[in-house]
Amino acid sequence: MDSLELKYGCNPNQKPARIFMAQGSLPLKVLNGKPGYINLLDALNGWQMVSQMEKAVGLPSAASFKHVSPAGAAVGLPLNEQERQMYFVGEHSELSPLACAYTRARGADRMSSFGDFVSLSEVCDLSTAKCINREVSDGVIAPGYTEEALALLKQKRNGSYTVLSIDPNYIPSPIEQRSVFGITFEQGRNDIVLNQKILQPIVTANTNLPNSAKIDLLIALIALKYTQSNSVCYVKNGQTIGVGAGQQSRIHCTRLAGSKADLWHLRQSEQVLGLPFLPSLSRNAKDNAIEQYLADDPETSLYEGEQWKQYFSQCPQVFTPEQKKACLQTIKGVSLASDAFFPFRDNIDRAKRSGVEYIVQPGGSVRDDVVIEACNEYGMVMVSNGIRLFHH
């Protein structure tokens, strides 16, 4: 039996804790640091997701996981100038395709990614390691590391940063088990292959599904396969921009993910990109400032007691609700996936507000006709493929 002892389980009182293989060897190795129980759950879910994304799309992939759901996931498409600014990437910095994937994944929801676990589909190069090194993170998993990348990552967090390597050829048992309250559950592993073949049938009047949307829909579906249900995911330009995870109501998933997608778009506005940050401000402090600046109802207003002086060299102009609404009304081309059917058209109405034009969901609701009618009203393309992707 091959095993790895852990400090404790989900919480400090849950001892002993370990991971083990009853037969064979563990497919992962600890190259640095000491992973925790939740770290490994994030690492193994994230690795499955990014490896499947690369197979489906043919591009290097990365994910930022927190508490067993992705805060962000992306493939390695180049960054445009606005994206470089919003992700704090210098204009002269050269990023490898894998580094682009990581930067996009981390930038999808930077507040949620604070203290994340990173998953990479390819060997981590120095370009990607430099990007990871700048962020607050618990660890990384990848099929390998270049010598320079590993040396840099081993220095992170005063030498305690967790670095895991995983065997990319490892194939798990087709049957998986888990124990709850002393009772063992067993089921077939969810090994469904998500590729362009499952983006059918299209059930709306509009059937024009461009290749870019197909890529985005696949990224959304693969992300949902490893997101705590109920879940909904918005994607644009090869990256998740809003993930709504673990909600009991479908509309709450759609609202939560839609609000995150809206913030992602607003972060690219002139008002945000032009904020007069103090030169000494850290990246994380900038994230907090932007969150407060964009929030409709922040915990502490930047304009009360001159709180803005913590972040800015001069008082920024208020980004009014009317200005935000006008900015968001120009958004289009967003893709959305749901891990189960939409029971009511309110999900479609909310998705429209965030620029959604392409949808994939299983279908099967008694109100499918009402949902399809709503999509037709908005000129959306919707696939109902019959594939449910619950994950618990």
Side-chain angles (χ1 to χ4, degrees):
M1 179 182 294
D2 191 13
S3 67
L4 174 65
E5 298 297 322
L6 306 177
K7 189 175 180 180
Y8 50 75
C10 282
N11 300 290
N13 64 294
Q14 293 180 267
K15 301 176 182 179
R18 64 171 177 159
I19 61 170
F20 67 93
M21 299 282 286
Q23 296 180 340
S25 301
L26 286 168
L28 58 83
K29 294 180 180 179
V30 180
L31 304 183
N32 197 66
K34 188 172 184 179
Y37 189 97
I38 297 174
N39 289 155
L40 288 166
L41 289 175
D42 285 341
L44 294 175
N45 274 282
W47 162 250
Q48 292 178 81
M49 189 175 78
V50 298
S51 61
Q52 291 179 30
M53 283 172 59
E54 176 157 336
K55 290 176 183 175
V57 179
L59 292 168
S61 305
S64 166
F65 255 74
K66 277 285 292 290
H67 293 289
V68 207
S69 282
V75 295
L77 297 174
L79 305 179
N80 62 33
E81 184 54 37
Q82 284 181 317
E83 290 165 341
R84 280 179 170 267
Q85 290 184 61
M86 68 186 290
Y87 299 149
F88 310 127
V89 177
E91 61 178 332
H92 300 299
S93 298
E94 292 188 10
L95 300 182
S96 67
L98 185 63
C100 287
Y102 166 72
T103 301
R104 286 179 173 280
R106 176 74 188 208
D109 184 356
R110 289 185 56 83
M111 291 289 288
S112 296
S113 286
F114 186 87
D116 64 345
F117 208 95
V118 181
S119 299
L120 305 173
S121 68
E122 295 187 352
V123 171
C124 180
D125 56 18
L126 183 59
S127 176
T128 306
K130 287 180 177 179
C131 294
I132 295 172
N133 196 47
R134 290 194 290 264
E135 306 292 357
V136 177
S137 171
D138 279 358
V140 57
I141 187 170
Y145 302 83
T146 65
E147 184 177 342
E148 299 84 359
L150 182 58
L152 179 61
L153 292 171
K154 281 186 173 182
Q155 298 173 26
K156 188 172 172 63
R157 291 181 61 172
N158 296 318
S160 66
Y161 190 65
T162 297
V163 181
L164 306 177
S165 67
I166 187 162
D167 179 2
N169 298 314
Y170 169 68
I171 300 176
S173 167
I175 301 296
E176 60 184 11
Q177 296 178 334
R178 66 185 296 187
S179 177
V180 178
F181 198 52
I183 298 170
T184 299
F185 289 62
E186 186 174 88
Q187 66 176 353
R189 185 172 303 280
N190 187 3
D191 57 2
I192 187 168
V193 176
L194 300 174
N195 54 33
Q196 292 198 14
K197 293 180 181 178
I198 57 90
L199 295 179
Q200 59 179 325
I202 295 176
V203 296
T204 47
N206 185 354
T207 60
N208 182 24
L209 190 60
N211 191 61
S212 59
K214 291 178 182 178
I215 291 174
D216 287 351
L217 289 175
L218 286 176
I219 291 171
L221 285 171
I222 295 171
L224 292 179
K225 188 179 176 184
Y226 299 100
T227 301
Q228 296 297 297
S229 299
N230 287 323
S231 57
V232 162
C233 181
Y234 292 67
V235 173
K236 189 173 183 182
N237 295 342
Q239 71 169 88
T240 64
I241 60 173
V243 179
Q247 304 300 304
Q248 289 75 23
S249 166
R250 183 70 40 189
I251 185 59
H252 289 157
C253 296
T254 306
R255 289 173 184 164
L256 175 60
S259 295
K260 291 184 176 185
D262 292 347
L263 288 175
W264 183 84
H265 281 112
L266 291 174
R267 280 163 52 197
Q268 299 175 67
S269 64
E270 292 181 3
Q271 289 89 333
V272 173
L273 295 181
L275 286 172
F277 290 116
L278 294 171
S280 60
L281 208 63
S282 70
R283 298 156 70 88
N284 296 319
K286 289 178 181 178
D287 289 333
N288 290 330
I290 292 171
E291 188 80 6
Q292 290 187 54
Y293 181 68
L294 291 177
D296 292 328
D297 186 23
E299 292 77 12
T300 303
S301 172
L302 292 171
Y303 305 98
E304 293 176 4
E306 296 187 322
Q307 294 288 326
W308 61 267
K309 290 185 176 180
Q310 301 177 58
Y311 307 107
F312 306 112
S313 59
Q314 62 187 59
C315 185
Q317 291 186 345
V318 175
F319 199 174
T320 67
E322 293 76 18
Q323 289 174 319
K324 294 177 186 177
K325 184 176 181 180
C327 180
L328 293 173
Q329 284 177 339
T330 66
I331 304 304
K332 59 183 180 179
V334 177
S335 295
L336 177 147
S338 175
D339 66 357
F341 64 68
F342 290 124
F344 302 99
R345 71 164 286 161
D346 52 1
N347 293 275
I348 308 303
D349 295 329
R350 177 60 190 85
K352 173 61 178 177
R353 287 173 45 197
S354 293
V356 170
E357 294 186 16
Y358 311 103
I359 296 176
V360 59
Q361 54 113 5
S365 167
V366 296
R367 299 180 187 84
D368 272 354
D369 57 338
V370 176
V371 173
I372 294 170
E373 181 182 358
C375 289
N376 285 335
E377 286 180 23
Y378 295 127
M380 295 176 177
V381 180
M382 185 169 73
V383 174
S384 293
N385 61 13
I387 300 173
R388 196 177 78 174
L389 293 169
F390 279 170
H391 181 64
H392 293 285

